[in-house]
Amino acid sequence: MIEIANLTKNFTGETHPAVDHLTLTIPQGEVCVLIGPSGCGKTTTMRMINRMIEPDGGTITVGGRNVLAIDPIDLRRSVGYVIQQVGLFPHWSIADNIATVPRLLGWDERRVRTRCDELIALVGMDPARDRDRFPRQLSGGQRQRIGVARALAADPPVMLMDEPFGAIDPITRTRLQSEFLKILHDLKKTIVFVTHDIDEAIRMGDRIAILRDGALVQYDTPERILAHPVNAFVEAFVGADRALKRLALIATGAVAEHADGPLPADRIASDATLRDALAVMLSSGADVLAVSFPDAATRILTLSRIRACVHEAYSDQPPPG
């Protein structure tokens, strides 16, 4: 768990704080996305967690330990860090890049090699083929995979990810988001993820912290933020297409219904989203899709069911809790 209390940062020459008495709690094993307009303090906040930037006031505790009481170098070795530019050492092999922190921690070479191969495989690459390659021999998506593998090398409980997919083409970016979301959730990491893209925030976050001028405006789950923005700023920030964004959070399998008659020809996977289903319906002209599950069971999804989900999300009922 990460606890941030009254965190403040002022930069010389600036009239307003970069971070202004920020307080929030990030539960263990969850992905918290920091998002907001340029200059809102999201990257500054994240970089204070591993003391790449020193706070002027407030406290940050990680797993019950005050980070200000930990040697900064030791702290950074215990917190995974992934950046947009990846930052791989160009003249080191992929294995050597991943091994950076384990070697600094004094791991023996057999353990280092085993861990490198585990992580190369974990991020969807081939250890035998890729361990001795160099960053210049990889695609942008592959380099980003290795950047994540390097951050995971010493099995840190906390990871900081600063726009990690921002420099990747949209198709590869969407695929990597899905793959890494599954990996990181399976590993039960606590993640602070910075992005400027609200669609990415909704896709990746268990919780989203929307910042403005260094202050926290709303902190909640993607569903609640989309359904109940606290003010006009948040409503405008998440966009006029809140209904479509809400559909991207619901899997077709969660709302599919039993079929009473023959199954329709058009199909979609049960782990696809209602937004995906709506796109298929619009392109095919169908108003009913067959939904295929991994166990071979099949149900149906209707356009009217999608409409009902939108209506349920934006009913006049107050948010729970």
Side-chain angles (χ1 to χ4, degrees):
M1 177 186 291
I2 301 174
E3 295 269 5
I4 297 174
N6 294 312
L7 189 65
T8 302
K9 182 64 186 179
N10 295 275
F11 289 113
T12 303
E14 297 293 331
T15 57
H16 299 289
V19 177
D20 190 5
H21 295 91
L22 177 66
T23 296
L24 60 85
T25 298
I26 304 170
Q28 185 173 344
E30 290 197 0
V31 179
C32 170
V33 177
L34 305 180
I35 190 169
S38 296
C40 70
K42 54 187 181 291
T43 297
T44 300
T45 296
M46 187 198 70
R47 287 167 64 86
M48 284 193 283
I49 293 173
N50 67 351
R51 295 179 63 187
M52 297 290 285
I53 295 175
E54 293 289 347
D56 292 329
T59 60
I60 305 168
T61 60
V62 176
R65 301 175 68 199
N66 184 347
V67 302
L68 298 179
I70 304 172
D71 178 81
I73 294 175
D74 291 339
L75 173 65
R76 290 170 202 147
R77 289 176 182 174
S78 67
V79 175
Y81 189 38
V82 185
I83 60 175
Q84 178 176 322
Q85 296 82 8
V86 186
L88 299 179
F89 298 110
H91 303 300
W92 288 12
S93 70
I94 298 311
D96 285 337
N97 267 281
I98 295 172
T100 303
V101 172
R103 284 176 175 153
L104 289 171
L105 294 175
W107 291 20
D108 66 71
E109 282 304 308
R110 181 176 180 180
R111 184 183 178 192
V112 167
R113 182 181 175 86
T114 298
R115 182 61 172 162
C116 288
D117 284 358
E118 285 176 354
L119 289 168
I120 292 171
L122 181 69
V123 298
M125 296 173 66
D126 181 356
R129 181 195 66 202
D130 297 319
R131 72 166 72 91
D132 296 322
R133 298 170 78 190
F134 291 88
R136 66 178 179 275
Q137 298 173 294
L138 306 181
S139 68
Q142 289 174 322
R143 286 195 295 273
Q144 199 63 59
R145 291 168 188 269
I146 297 304
V148 173
R150 182 176 62 181
L152 288 168
D155 197 22
V158 172
M159 290 186 64
L160 309 179
M161 306 184 77
D162 190 1
E163 304 221 30
F165 310 125
I168 300 172
D169 67 88
I171 295 174
T172 303
R173 180 177 185 172
T174 299
R175 186 174 70 248
L176 289 179
Q177 286 170 348
S178 298
E179 291 174 358
F180 286 123
L181 195 58
K182 183 178 186 305
I183 289 170
L184 296 171
H185 273 304
D186 287 348
L187 295 175
K188 301 290 192 276
K189 301 296 181 185
T190 304
I191 300 157
V192 181
F193 190 108
V194 167
T195 183
H196 67 279
D197 183 337
I198 187 63
D199 289 316
E200 181 168 70
I202 291 166
R203 184 182 185 90
M204 299 296 290
D206 295 303
R207 297 170 189 261
I208 299 174
I210 299 179
L211 307 179
R212 185 184 191 187
D213 297 330
L216 184 65
V217 182
Q218 186 167 358
Y219 182 47
D220 217 325
T221 64
E223 293 90 342
R224 287 169 60 104
I225 286 175
L226 288 173
H228 303 282
V230 295
N231 58 25
F233 168 76
V234 175
E235 186 172 2
F237 188 80
V238 299
D241 60 341
R242 287 190 294 131
L244 284 177
K245 288 183 170 72
R246 176 70 176 90
L247 293 181
L249 296 171
I250 304 172
T252 60
V255 296
E257 303 166 306
H258 290 287
D260 293 328
L263 293 171
D266 294 296
R267 287 177 171 263
I268 194 164
S270 61
D271 60 353
T273 69
L274 292 189
R275 188 171 181 171
D276 297 330
L278 183 58
V280 172
M281 289 178 176
L282 290 173
S283 64
S284 67
D287 59 4
V288 183
L289 300 177
V291 180
S292 300
F293 288 78
D295 61 2
T298 305
R299 298 184 181 183
I300 61 168
L301 176 66
T302 63
L303 183 57
S304 62
R305 185 71 183 98
I306 295 177
R307 288 192 184 118
C309 288
V310 174
H311 176 74
E312 290 164 9
Y314 298 100
S315 68
D316 292 330
Q317 296 297 316

